[in-house]
Structure formats: structure tokens, C-alpha cells
Amino acid sequence: IGSEDGCRAYAADDSDVLAPNPDVVVLAASAEDVQKTLAIAERQGVPVTPRAAGTGRTGGAVPAAGGIVLATHALAQVKDIDTRERIAVVQPGVVTGVLHALCEKEGLFYPPDPNSLDTCMIGGNVAENAGGPRALKYGVTREYVLGLEVCLMGGKALRVGRRTTKGVTGYDVTALLVGSEGTLGVFTEITLRLVAKPPEIATILALFTDVHACAAAVARALGTGVSPRCIELLDSPTLDAIRAQVSIDPRAGAMLLCEVDGDAKGVETQAMRLGEALSSGDGVVDVVAAQDAAQRARLWAGRRALSSATRKLARHKISEDVVVPRFQVPELLHRVDRIGEENRTRHLTYGHAGDGNLHVNFLWDDEADKARVDRSIDQLMRATIELGGTLSGEHGIGVTKAEFLPLEQPPELIELQRAVKRVFDPKELLNPGKIFPAPGHKAC
């Protein structure tokens, strides 16, 4: 694609990052197309931005330096689902929700479940080390990537990793590539570990007077010894955004959506213990269990629609993704309220409270308010690090968080990572402008 209108469609992702149109878009139809593009680009000194579905939230797929966007969404073949070895071999353009359905037809389960699972693609999930609600029990994408076929700048193709469940040969290059945000190589094939599909699931909805009572209930739930597969928190403004889709008690100012899975007897026992823990504290409005799969689906439909629903609340919205130790979730929520009050910024919070990964959203209508929002984001990042947390749980660093990386990592570690980048990409042409702060930035 070389036309201005055609290229414009590939200049943005699901973040608010503004970037120039790419000079050209290559729609790869094969691994050979990827190799040839990277070989030509290196010879000519042209930057390349890999892209799958473009659902990222930190600007990872925007062409910050122009040049070529290398789109892999047409590489969408599920090559193998091996029920004996419990592995799947897929191309990067396979939609995550499609893979879920295919695996579950075989009695298998691919746990990572980013909320954009109906549109996001495995290649992007691997590049960003995506998570999702079920990460509390099952972990993030990295835990399921056994091997990769990857193309480097210059066109060299490598196979790294394995097809076996165990293996410790040499450096774990596979793990390094997972979460590298398209800065080290472009994936053309991915080998994933699968697990047995849980036979039963129980979903519990718990409503509270406010988000602080909700956070206290999370601590009680985690202290039961039960292993929920997810504990999702929604604060009051978030609840208001989805009330049109889901009937919610008007007394509720916050909500937890929890699930357990396993065999029938185990699920019943876990659900009872979890329900008792959620019901035992102050500020409880109601605790109910979903009665059937249809009701469970309705509850999750509201949760998964949060990004689009909250986007309608204001002209502009930034969704930040931070993680703190689980016992610090109540304190982080207090800090967020204080930041909002000090800067007079609208905000709402939801996310994966069970593993301390919260999405703090700032909303504004007038461009004049952007400076206050920027100040709030800076304070949020600093508060997260002060509480022993990390800047991103599942969205990566990309463009939007690069300036904050020195808050969490010392200069020596950042330089080591830059050196690794240069080994893979000596001319630094692959997805430039991502992860690392520009020299001399204020956060340094």
C-alpha cells in the first residue's frame, strides 16, 4: 500500500499516540514476504514497524519514525493443534478468541485472555506479553510460548525454543523475544503450550458500597487459600459506564467479578469459601453466584466492553496499566483518589485486582485540561514505583511509557537492554522509538 489514504489506516493503534503516516505498508502473505521486507529495509536504511491487529494501548504499532509498516494480520493460519502433546502452532495473525474456540473444541485450553480477545492477534499478544483476567491463576502469555520462528532485520530467519514441555538448552531466547514489543524481530510462527480445559466454572458477583470496601474484600478472598482464576475490580464511575448493559443494584459503588474453575466438587467448595470471604466484611451490598452460562456471559460481556464503554464518557481518555503488590492495592486506590483531587482530573479504575494489575483511566474534554492529566499520569507512575510496583502489567512500554522507564530501572540496566537490541538490530531500524526514553528526557 502506497497511497496516502491507505497508509493512514496503519498510522495509529488503540492508543492516543499521534505518528506520521508510514511511507509504505507491506501486507505480508508469507514468511518469505517478511524476510524480503526486512532484508530490503536494512540495505536501504529504512525503519520498519511490525503490526498485527493494532489493538495495543501504548503506541507499540505506530510508525514513530515513518518508513515501512510490516503488517502480519494475513498470516492467520492455525497450523496444528496437537492434542497428544497439548501444543498449538499458529501464525501471528490468528485472532486470540478464534484460537480459544478451536482449542476448547478439542478439550484443551489456552488461558491468556486479553479483553480485546475477539480482535487482538497472537503475534501482538506475544510481542506485548499480554495478560488478561485469568492471569491471576494461569499467568501471562510468556508462560505459554514454547518456541518461535522469528525474522531479524536483514532477513535472517531463526527458530528458537522447542515443542517439548521442558527444555533448558542455552539461553532462553524465546523468553527474551516475548514482550520485546517488536524491537528485536518479527514473528512468523508461534508454538504455544496448552492445558486441559477446566470442566466447570463458577462466577461470583460481589457488590460493595465503595471501592475501598471492595479492595478489602480482595485481601479476604486471597487469604482463603482458594485459587480464583480471576478477581476483577470495577469502581463507581466504571460501574456507571456499564449500567446500561448490565443490571446492577443502584446501592453499589464498586464491584468484584470473581471466577473459580476445576472439577465440579472442587468448584462448589471453592465458590462457597470465596463467597463467604467476600460477604464477611464491611460495606457489602450483595454477593451472588451466576446461575448459568448465559448469565455468566452477560456479566463478562459488560466487563470486556469497559474500554469502549468508558471511552464514551469524555472526548479523550488515557488508560494506564500499572501493577503493585496485591496488599498495596488499597493504598494505590487511595493515591489515585488523591491525585485526582489535587489535579482536578476525572478518573476511573478497573482491572485485575487479584494480581495487583489495575487500569487507571483519566478522562477529559477540553484540550486545556491535558496538562493536568499529564501531571496526574506522572504522579501515578511515581506512586506505583514507591509502592514497590511496576510500570506495566500487560500493555508494554511502547511510546507512552518510555519516558518513565528510568523511574523503575537504573541506567546500567537500560543500557544493557539497548546493547541487546543492537545485537539483534545493529542499525536500530526495527520499531524505533519504543521502550527506551529519548536521551536527556526529564525522567532520567
Side-chain angles (χ1 to χ4, degrees), residues 137 199-202 226-227 260-274:
K137 179 175 180 178
E200 297 290 339
I201 303 169
V226 171
S227 296
V260 292
D261 64 10
D263 62 78
K265 184 176 180 180
V267 164
E268 183 178 1
T269 300
Q270 289 184 80
M272 287 181 61
R273 290 171 62 187
L274 192 60

Side-chain angles (χ1 to χ4, degrees), residues 289-303:
Q291 298 303 304
D292 52 38
Q295 188 177 18
R296 183 167 64 247
R298 285 195 298 274
L299 291 174
W300 276 108
R303 167 62 183 93

Side-chain angles (χ1 to χ4, degrees), residues 214-281:
C214 199
V218 172
R220 294 197 302 273
L222 294 171
T224 61
V226 171
S227 296
R229 73 178 192 173
C230 56
I231 300 178
E232 296 293 288
L233 177 148
L234 288 73
D235 72 358
S236 182
T238 308
L239 278 189
D240 290 342
I242 64 168
R243 286 184 192 274
Q245 297 168 270
V246 181
S247 178
I248 299 171
D249 191 315
R251 298 172 297 167
M255 181 177 93
L256 290 179
L257 185 59
C258 309
E259 278 193 345
V260 292
D261 64 10
D263 62 78
K265 184 176 180 180
V267 164
E268 183 178 1
T269 300
Q270 289 184 80
M272 287 181 61
R273 290 171 62 187
L274 192 60
E276 289 169 359
L278 295 172
S279 303
S280 62

Side-chain angles (χ1 to χ4, degrees), residues 314-329:
R315 287 181 59 196
H316 305 286
K317 178 177 84 84
I318 289 180
S319 178
E320 292 296 344
D321 156 46
V322 296
V323 190
V324 294
R326 293 182 293 190
F327 75 92
Q328 293 282 26
V329 166

Side-chain angles (χ1 to χ4, degrees), residues 38 45 59 85 89 130 161 181 210 215 241 258-259 289 312:
L38 296 178
E85 295 295 331
V89 181
E181 303 191 35
D210 59 56
C258 309
E259 278 193 345
K312 297 174 183 177

Side-chain angles (χ1 to χ4, degrees), residues 334-356:
H334 280 294
R335 298 272 189 110
V336 169
D337 284 346
R338 193 183 313 154
I339 288 167
E341 291 169 5
E342 288 178 1
N343 296 311
R344 293 175 290 117
T345 50
R346 292 175 63 193
H347 61 86
L348 56 87
T349 302
Y350 58 86
H352 322 309
D355 55 20

